[in-house]
Amino acid sequence: MTLIRVLMAWLVITCGSLVAPPAEAAVICSFGGSGSSGTDCLGHGWTVGSGGWGIPGIGAGVRPFLGNETATDFHFHCLTGCGQIQNGAFDDTRFSLSPFGTTFWNETLNGAADTIDFVSSPGPADDLTPGRNFFVNITTNINLSTFSFEASWTNDQVSVPEPASVALIGIALAGLALTRHRLCKPV
């Protein structure tokens, strides 16, 4: 019985150390498109207009978030047909939550400026919850004949265990069950 207790303690410590830290952001959904308009993976309409790409469109107001989960990040990558994405400023590239203009998500452009990531500030007050109004404006020159992009909604507050961690936990549980079966088997 002492061996079983030692193995149980090891399993608890091992599982805690493997699963405790978040491995990566949970992807709510990914989508892509081309042309002058479309719909994202949650049903939000996007349009290309004068000056760039947006949900619902640049200067087109706000819309309620249709996801069933809270989003903390929005990622946009222009694959073809875009000029350099501009830094955010008033009436420029930005992600805002309602009430209008009170909460802007932090933005990060990559070196070539064909990718932009919007991330909420730490704390649930800045998260995009189901039904909350928002808009996304990405200011860039777009050539509609060659334009294509990919984007995703994610939540970095959700821990997604790595497959290797899950496999190690499974092996540990199987070993514990086998050991217990052998120790408790009548002679």
Side-chain angles (χ1 to χ4, degrees):
M1 282 306 227
T2 304
L3 179 60
I4 291 176
R5 286 188 181 131
V6 169
L7 287 173
M8 288 289 278
W10 174 83
L11 182 62
V12 168
I13 292 168
T14 302
C15 291
S17 67
L18 293 174
V19 180
E24 60 185 67
V27 175
I28 295 171
C29 68
S30 298
F31 65 102
S34 60
S36 62
S37 64
T39 305
D40 77 359
C41 49
L42 297 174
H44 306 119
W46 57 265
T47 60
V48 174
S50 175
W53 181 96
I55 295 176
I58 293 182
V62 297
R63 69 155 305 124
F65 183 61
L66 301 176
N68 293 325
E69 304 173 50
T70 297
T72 61
D73 311 84
F74 180 75
H75 310 279
F76 180 90
H77 178 205
C78 183
L79 299 171
T80 58
C82 290
Q84 186 174 13
I85 296 173
Q86 303 300 307
N87 273 336
F90 189 69
D91 289 333
D92 218 0
T93 298
R94 59 190 171 154
F95 189 110
S96 178
L97 304 177
S98 285
F100 178 73
T102 59
T103 304
F104 295 100
W105 280 7
N106 301 316
E107 61 186 58
T108 304
L109 294 171
N110 76 351
D114 61 359
T115 299
I116 188 163
D117 299 309
F118 295 100
V119 178
S120 70
S121 298
D126 292 341
D127 294 348
L128 184 55
T129 54
R132 188 170 187 186
N133 286 331
F134 77 100
F135 71 84
V136 182
N137 287 346
I138 298 175
T139 304
T140 183
N141 293 322
I142 293 177
N143 178 343
L144 276 177
S145 65
T146 60
F147 173 63
S148 67
F149 73 94
E150 62 186 9
S152 63
W153 293 101
T154 61
N155 183 334
D156 67 4
Q157 304 301 319
V158 177
S159 175
V160 179
E162 297 176 17
S165 299
V166 174
L168 284 172
I169 292 168
I171 291 169
L173 288 171
L176 181 61
L178 183 60
T179 303
R180 181 166 185 198
H181 176 73
R182 286 185 180 168
L183 290 175
C184 295
K185 190 176 183 180
V187 181

